[in-house]
Amino acid sequence: MPLVLVEGTFRPDRIRQIAEHVHLDPEAVLENIAVARAHNHEHQSELLVTVAAMMADDVYKLLIMDGLMTHYRTDFVGRGELSERQQKLNVMLSRMKKAR
């Protein structure tokens, strides 16, 4: 079961098309996909902690993160916040690496 963290781009209709193309039940495929939407970089980080626990329990096998940088770009604007953004992004990437 994959978990998809998105910035509003998840399209169930596209999943249905793909499932039908490979002769799978579209509704069964959609039932096996969990979708979460982060509202800022902190929420995204919290979601990743939750996902890591789910992956450790073998509930999820695949994690797709769409727009990983989006919240970091909007929450940390300008050169003055570049260092803090990089530090927090490194923490996020480290958590992602450990979530597998």
Side-chain angles (χ1 to χ4, degrees):
M1 174 185 292
L3 174 77
V4 184
L5 299 177
V6 297
E7 55 180 13
T9 58
F10 180 74
R11 294 181 30 217
D13 57 320
R14 183 67 182 126
I15 299 298
R16 284 185 187 94
Q17 290 174 345
I18 294 168
E20 289 169 356
H21 180 74
V22 295
H23 309 292
L24 295 174
D25 176 14
E27 297 310 313
V29 170
L30 283 169
E31 286 177 14
N32 284 312
I33 298 175
V35 178
R37 184 171 183 185
H39 303 290
N40 56 43
H41 80 278
E42 292 169 338
H43 187 221
Q44 186 174 7
S45 189
E46 291 169 10
L47 286 172
L48 188 58
V49 170
T50 303
V51 168
M54 292 173 161
M55 291 181 91
D57 291 339
D58 287 333
V59 175
Y60 297 99
K61 301 290 184 193
L62 174 67
L63 170 63
I64 300 169
M65 291 188 75
D66 177 31
L68 172 68
M69 288 296 300
T70 302
H71 294 302
Y72 289 94
R73 278 192 216 108
T74 57
D75 292 351
F76 300 96
V77 179
R79 289 186 177 186
E81 296 181 339
L82 181 62
S83 176
E84 184 180 3
R85 178 179 80 181
Q86 291 305 106
Q87 289 173 342
K88 293 194 182 267
L89 182 59
N90 283 335
V91 169
M92 169 67 90
L93 294 173
S94 177
R95 285 181 180 164
M96 286 179 66
K97 190 175 181 180
K98 291 176 185 175
R100 47 185 169 127

